[in-house]
Amino acid sequence: MKKRPVLSLLMMVVITLPLSAQSLSPKEALKMLRKPSKRCPLPSLMKDDRTCMDFIYEMGKLETARLAAIADSVEARQSQNQLIKKALKNEETAKEKFAYALEQIDREEIRYNFFQDQKRELEEDRKALQRPAPTAQLVNVEYSYTGMAYNPIMPMKISLSKEGKVVGRCGRSEKDQEIDQQALNQINELVLKEKLYKLLPRYASIKSPLPDIPEIMMLDGMHWMLELEYSDGTSIRSGGEFMPSQNTNALEKMMTDYLKDLMPKMRE
């Protein structure tokens, strides 16, 4: 019973030995291209663009351990691909003979980079969802929203000045003006009530870099941004192309009410 873990470890060492060497000879690289069974297994998400895109859409449903295992297999394949490309860098004849196989390696790299970017965003989202409620004093809040061309951006900011006064500004103004001293406390109560501290870093549709998946072109639309800063150094930033489930509209309304006297006057 005790020999099985040792045997499994030895098998893993043997399988990954070419990768640990960090180099392949042209002969070894060509042998791998001739016999795909000699290579690291091809993860399903790296087989083609559609499978990759489908995986990305469903990736958030995977448990952390399962995603980590898939990431390891993707990393092993990509590392080996890079060794093959490096080994054949100056082998023009071989590159012509195995042009299709090398093209597929390049396509796999695009899927690999896409996966890594989306995995990083997913990990950041999961951290945000586990973020505890802030306990320090809210010292700065900034919010902006822009819709179509007829609804231009109107940034708003409420913060605590060096003198301990609550000040605000909005629009293109660069001058702070003193406002209701309860503004930051009231805003923080709303943040806690609506759990805005659990906002994800980014709310946006997935944009495909995959050649076989047409990218959705956003010619016009909305964008919003929120930044919260606390006296203990905690900083929460969020924003994107669509609104979250949390009630950010209530925050926008509250800030607008506090800053209404500073709003730019509409032209007659």
Side-chain angles (χ1 to χ4, degrees):
M1 294 295 291
K2 294 183 178 179
K3 294 182 179 179
R4 289 184 180 179
V6 175
L7 180 60
S8 298
L9 179 61
L10 289 175
M11 289 179 65
M12 289 179 63
V13 171
V14 171
I15 292 173
T16 60
L17 186 58
L19 297 181
S20 64
Q22 294 301 309
S23 65
L24 287 176
S25 67
K27 183 178 180 180
E28 291 171 324
L30 290 173
K31 187 175 182 180
M32 287 183 175
L33 294 182
R34 290 193 189 97
K35 297 183 178 180
S37 61
K38 299 287 186 182
R39 299 173 63 184
C40 290
L42 176 62
S44 61
L45 73 94
M46 295 178 75
K47 288 181 179 179
D48 59 72
D49 288 356
R50 173 51 60 188
T51 303
C52 180
M53 196 71 193
D54 290 344
F55 177 87
I56 294 299
Y57 279 131
E58 299 294 322
M59 185 168 60
K61 299 178 182 179
L62 295 175
E63 295 183 356
T64 302
R66 175 58 179 157
L67 181 58
I70 293 173
D72 287 344
S73 66
V74 169
E75 192 65 47
R77 178 75 176 194
Q78 174 63 11
S79 296
Q80 192 178 72
N81 282 348
Q82 294 305 301
L83 293 180
I84 291 173
K85 288 178 65 175
K86 183 178 180 181
L88 300 179
K89 181 178 180 180
N90 299 316
E91 302 292 325
E92 296 302 327
T93 301
K95 287 165 67 175
E96 291 177 7
K97 184 176 181 180
F98 291 95
Y100 178 77
L102 292 172
E103 179 186 352
Q104 293 309 302
I105 284 179
D106 290 338
R107 296 289 291 266
E108 286 181 26
E109 183 172 5
I110 296 173
R111 296 168 197 141
Y112 165 81
N113 290 331
F114 186 35
F115 166 73
Q116 291 290 15
D117 289 342
Q118 295 301 311
K119 177 175 174 287
R120 189 179 307 110
E121 287 193 19
L122 176 59
E123 290 170 346
E124 291 175 352
D125 289 350
R126 288 177 170 177
K127 287 181 180 179
L129 292 172
Q130 296 300 316
R131 187 185 291 134
T135 56
Q137 180 184 15
L138 179 64
V139 296
N140 183 63
V141 55
E142 297 182 46
Y143 182 85
S144 63
Y145 173 91
T146 181
M148 306 293 278
Y150 295 104
N151 186 13
I153 193 167
M154 177 60 71
M156 297 183 288
K157 178 179 179 179
I158 297 177
S159 58
L160 190 67
S161 70
K162 295 179 180 180
E163 295 75 25
K165 301 291 185 180
V166 176
V167 296
R169 69 170 74 169
C170 62
R172 297 181 179 178
S173 172
E174 297 182 358
K175 183 179 180 181
D176 292 330
Q177 296 188 43
E178 190 172 343
I179 61 172
D180 190 326
Q181 296 302 291
Q182 292 302 311
L184 286 173
N185 291 336
Q186 293 295 319
I187 291 172
N188 194 47
E189 287 181 10
L190 180 64
V191 168
L192 297 176
K193 176 185 176 183
E194 299 295 339
K195 292 183 170 55
L196 299 181
Y197 55 87
K198 289 184 179 291
L199 285 170
L200 307 182
R202 183 171 175 267
Y203 293 84
S205 57
I206 298 175
K207 295 178 175 59
S208 168
L210 306 174
D212 292 341
I213 306 295
E215 181 180 351
I216 299 175
M217 299 296 292
M218 183 68 73
L219 301 179
D220 204 348
M222 58 83 68
H223 183 82
W224 66 277
M225 182 280 294
L226 172 65
E227 181 174 350
L228 302 167
E229 295 180 358
Y230 290 83
S231 59
D232 63 354
T234 298
S235 180
I236 300 171
R237 294 179 175 84
S238 184
E241 300 168 356
F242 58 85
M243 305 306 292
S245 58
Q246 287 95 330
N247 194 2
T248 52
N249 288 334
L251 174 67
E252 180 183 7
K253 182 179 184 306
M254 182 175 286
M255 292 187 71
T256 300
D257 288 343
Y258 280 121
L259 298 172
K260 60 185 178 182
D261 292 336
L262 307 183
M263 292 286 179
K265 303 299 182 184
M266 297 295 291
R267 292 181 179 179
E268 295 287 337

